[in-house]
Every structure is written in structure tokens, then in C-alpha cells.
Amino acid sequence: MNSSDFMRLIGSLSFIWLVLAITAAAQPSSSPAPVLDSAGSPLEAGVEYYINPAITDNGGRFTLINRNGSCPLYVGQENVLGLEGFPVIFTPFVEGETVIRESRDLKVVFSASTTCVQSTAWKLGERDAESGRRLIVTGESQSQQRPTSNYFKIVKAQVGENIYNIEWCPTEVCPICRFDCGTAGALVENGKRLLALDGSVLPVMFERRA
């Protein structure tokens, strides 16, 4: 191989490496960013966290609500911010994941004991007759195929650090399904703060239980 051929080979290899580098840089990350708690640490699967409103004077910690004197219990908030409320545990839909990541399907379960036979897992419930908003209840899906009603997402809010929105849109559980997706907010009914979709949004923060 003469010097001219050698230089052309070097030039070709340099071009190939440049193309590969540009292609790699253009590829999106395969793992979305982790959801961070109020201290800036990634949320971990199987660990207890309190869910707090990110805005003051917007209710208290998330808790179980006895809406009508019978089971199942509903997901909601304490009326005022304080030490009341129950922690939750997050479980990713993707098996083996130990970190909770943005916009990934997950289950949310209150770490609490109740007198109801239903699970304390969050589930998309019925529409409220008056407001038309879909409520979040507790219990396991009875679907024999894909339990989409039990899976939610945590999505980064547009403003603020470590502030998020909670959505129902389980596209990982069923990629071929068409969903009427919604973001969770508060619905005040008879002095009780219920969690519901299809209305004003409730930005939240996550506080690791000490």
C-alpha cells in the first residue's frame, strides 16, 4: 500500500467514525430521566413516599377518602397541609426497574390498612355525575386481559424543580390501545378533596418517608 492509498484509508475511517459519533449523539436516551423527590434524589421502587401539593393552600398530603360511607375508598387529599395522610409505593410496569422514571407506566399503592376488602392500589374509576370528571378510586382491575386502569405516569411539570403531574395514559401496558388520557387534579365535593382527571391540574412533589 502506497502513501496515497494509506491516506485515503485514514480519511475514510475518519469519516466513518464521524458519522457514527453524530448518529450516536442524535439518538434519544433509552431511559427517561428519573423522577426526583423533594430532596433531589431519584424515587425508588418499593420505597414509601408522601405525595404533597407543590402549591401552598391547595390541600394537604394524598390520602384515602371515604366518599359515601362505603367501599371502595377514593384517592384524595387531606384538606390542609400537615402530617396527616398516607404514603404510597410505586411499582414500575417494566419488570426489574428499581428507579421510577418520568412518563413510564407504574402502579401506585397506598401503604395503609383499611376495613375494605379492596386493594389500596389506585385505579381509574367512574365519572362524577355532576362534574363529568373521572375519579381515581382504589382496587384492582377486573380486566382479564390488560389491567390498564391500574397504571399511571409521573410527568415533569412545565415549571419548578422536582415538581410533577400525575397522568393516566397507560401506553406501555397497551401500546396499541387508544386512550382518553387525562391529568390528575383536585375535585372538591362536600368538603372532601378527591383526585380526578379532566379538570384543573394539581402539581405535586414527593417526600420520602423518614
Side-chain angles (χ1 to χ4, degrees), residues 4-20:
S4 178
D5 291 334
F6 180 76
M7 292 304 295
R8 281 197 294 270
L9 176 61
I10 293 298
S12 298
L13 290 174
S14 298
F15 177 77
I16 292 172
W17 280 111
L18 178 61
V19 170
L20 290 175

CSV table of all heavy atoms in Angstrom, one decimal, residues 4-20:
chain,number,residue,atom,x,y,z
A,4,SER,N,-0.4,7.3,-0.8
A,4,SER,CA,-1.6,7.8,-1.2
A,4,SER,C,-2.8,7.0,-0.8
A,4,SER,O,-3.8,7.5,-0.3
A,4,SER,CB,-1.6,8.0,-2.7
A,4,SER,OG,-2.9,8.6,-3.2
A,5,ASP,N,-2.7,5.6,-1.0
A,5,ASP,CA,-3.8,4.7,-0.6
A,5,ASP,C,-4.0,4.8,0.9
A,5,ASP,O,-5.1,4.7,1.4
A,5,ASP,CB,-3.5,3.3,-1.0
A,5,ASP,CG,-3.5,3.2,-2.6
A,5,ASP,OD1,-4.3,3.9,-3.2
A,5,ASP,OD2,-2.8,2.3,-3.1
A,6,PHE,N,-2.8,4.8,1.6
A,6,PHE,CA,-2.9,4.9,3.1
A,6,PHE,C,-3.7,6.1,3.6
A,6,PHE,O,-4.5,6.0,4.5
A,6,PHE,CB,-1.5,4.8,3.7
A,6,PHE,CG,-1.5,4.9,5.2
A,6,PHE,CD1,-1.8,3.7,5.9
A,6,PHE,CD2,-1.2,6.0,5.9
A,6,PHE,CE1,-1.8,3.7,7.3
A,6,PHE,CE2,-1.1,6.0,7.3
A,6,PHE,CZ,-1.4,4.9,8.0
A,7,MET,N,-3.4,7.2,3.0
A,7,MET,CA,-4.1,8.5,3.4
A,7,MET,C,-5.6,8.4,3.1
A,7,MET,O,-6.4,8.9,3.9
A,7,MET,CB,-3.4,9.7,2.7
A,7,MET,CG,-2.0,9.9,3.2
A,7,MET,SD,-1.9,10.2,5.0
A,7,MET,CE,-2.9,11.7,5.1
A,8,ARG,N,-5.9,7.8,1.9
A,8,ARG,CA,-7.3,7.7,1.6
A,8,ARG,C,-8.0,6.8,2.6
A,8,ARG,O,-9.2,7.0,3.0
A,8,ARG,CB,-7.5,7.1,0.2
A,8,ARG,CG,-7.3,8.2,-0.9
A,8,ARG,CD,-7.9,7.7,-2.2
A,8,ARG,NE,-7.1,6.6,-2.8
A,8,ARG,CZ,-6.1,6.7,-3.6
A,8,ARG,NH1,-5.6,7.9,-3.9
A,8,ARG,NH2,-5.5,5.6,-4.0
A,9,LEU,N,-7.3,5.7,3.0
A,9,LEU,CA,-7.9,4.8,4.0
A,9,LEU,C,-8.2,5.5,5.4
A,9,LEU,O,-9.2,5.4,6.0
A,9,LEU,CB,-7.0,3.6,4.3
A,9,LEU,CG,-7.4,2.6,5.3
A,9,LEU,CD1,-8.8,2.0,5.0
A,9,LEU,CD2,-6.4,1.5,5.5
A,10,ILE,N,-7.2,6.3,5.8
A,10,ILE,CA,-7.3,7.1,7.0
A,10,ILE,C,-8.5,8.0,6.9
A,10,ILE,O,-9.3,8.2,7.8
A,10,ILE,CB,-6.0,7.8,7.3
A,10,ILE,CG1,-4.9,6.9,7.7
A,10,ILE,CG2,-6.2,8.8,8.5
A,10,ILE,CD1,-5.1,6.0,8.9
A,11,GLY,N,-8.6,8.7,5.7
A,11,GLY,CA,-9.7,9.6,5.5
A,11,GLY,C,-11.0,8.9,5.6
A,11,GLY,O,-12.0,9.5,6.2
A,12,SER,N,-11.1,7.7,5.0
A,12,SER,CA,-12.4,7.0,5.0
A,12,SER,C,-12.8,6.6,6.4
A,12,SER,O,-13.9,6.7,6.8
A,12,SER,CB,-12.3,5.8,4.1
A,12,SER,OG,-12.1,6.1,2.8
A,13,LEU,N,-11.8,6.1,7.2
A,13,LEU,CA,-12.1,5.7,8.5
A,13,LEU,C,-12.5,6.9,9.4
A,13,LEU,O,-13.4,6.8,10.2
A,13,LEU,CB,-10.8,5.0,9.2
A,13,LEU,CG,-10.5,3.6,8.6
A,13,LEU,CD1,-9.2,3.1,9.2
A,13,LEU,CD2,-11.6,2.6,8.8
A,14,SER,N,-11.9,8.0,9.2
A,14,SER,CA,-12.2,9.2,10.0
A,14,SER,C,-13.6,9.6,9.7
A,14,SER,O,-14.4,10.0,10.6
A,14,SER,CB,-11.2,10.3,9.6
A,14,SER,OG,-9.9,10.0,10.0
A,15,PHE,N,-14.0,9.5,8.4
A,15,PHE,CA,-15.4,9.9,8.0
A,15,PHE,C,-16.4,8.9,8.7
A,15,PHE,O,-17.5,9.4,9.2
A,15,PHE,CB,-15.5,9.9,6.5
A,15,PHE,CG,-16.9,10.2,6.0
A,15,PHE,CD1,-17.4,11.5,6.0
A,15,PHE,CD2,-17.8,9.1,5.6
A,15,PHE,CE1,-18.7,11.8,5.6
A,15,PHE,CE2,-19.0,9.4,5.2
A,15,PHE,CZ,-19.5,10.7,5.2
A,16,ILE,N,-16.1,7.7,8.7
A,16,ILE,CA,-17.0,6.7,9.3
A,16,ILE,C,-17.2,6.9,10.8
A,16,ILE,O,-18.3,6.9,11.3
A,16,ILE,CB,-16.5,5.2,9.0
A,16,ILE,CG1,-16.6,4.9,7.5
A,16,ILE,CG2,-17.3,4.2,9.9
A,16,ILE,CD1,-15.9,3.6,7.2
A,17,TRP,N,-16.1,7.2,11.5
A,17,TRP,CA,-16.1,7.5,12.9
A,17,TRP,C,-16.9,8.8,13.2
A,17,TRP,O,-17.7,8.8,14.1
A,17,TRP,CB,-14.7,7.6,13.5
A,17,TRP,CG,-14.1,6.3,13.7
A,17,TRP,CD1,-13.0,5.8,13.1
A,17,TRP,CD2,-14.5,5.3,14.7
A,17,TRP,NE1,-12.7,4.5,13.6
A,17,TRP,CE2,-13.6,4.2,14.6
A,17,TRP,CE3,-15.5,5.3,15.7
A,17,TRP,CZ2,-13.7,3.1,15.5
A,17,TRP,CZ3,-15.6,4.2,16.5
A,17,TRP,CH2,-14.7,3.1,16.4
A,18,LEU,N,-16.8,9.7,12.3
A,18,LEU,CA,-17.5,11.0,12.5
A,18,LEU,C,-19.0,10.7,12.3
A,18,LEU,O,-19.8,11.2,13.1
A,18,LEU,CB,-17.1,12.0,11.4
A,18,LEU,CG,-17.8,13.4,11.4
A,18,LEU,CD1,-17.6,14.0,12.8
A,18,LEU,CD2,-17.3,14.3,10.3
A,19,VAL,N,-19.4,10.0,11.3
A,19,VAL,CA,-20.8,9.6,11.1
A,19,VAL,C,-21.4,8.9,12.3
A,19,VAL,O,-22.5,9.1,12.8
A,19,VAL,CB,-21.0,8.8,9.8
A,19,VAL,CG1,-22.4,8.3,9.7
A,19,VAL,CG2,-20.7,9.7,8.6
A,20,LEU,N,-20.6,7.9,12.8
A,20,LEU,CA,-21.1,7.1,13.9
A,20,LEU,C,-21.2,8.0,15.2
A,20,LEU,O,-22.2,7.9,15.9
A,20,LEU,CB,-20.1,6.0,14.2
A,20,LEU,CG,-20.0,4.9,13.2
A,20,LEU,CD1,-18.9,3.9,13.6
A,20,LEU,CD2,-21.4,4.1,13.2
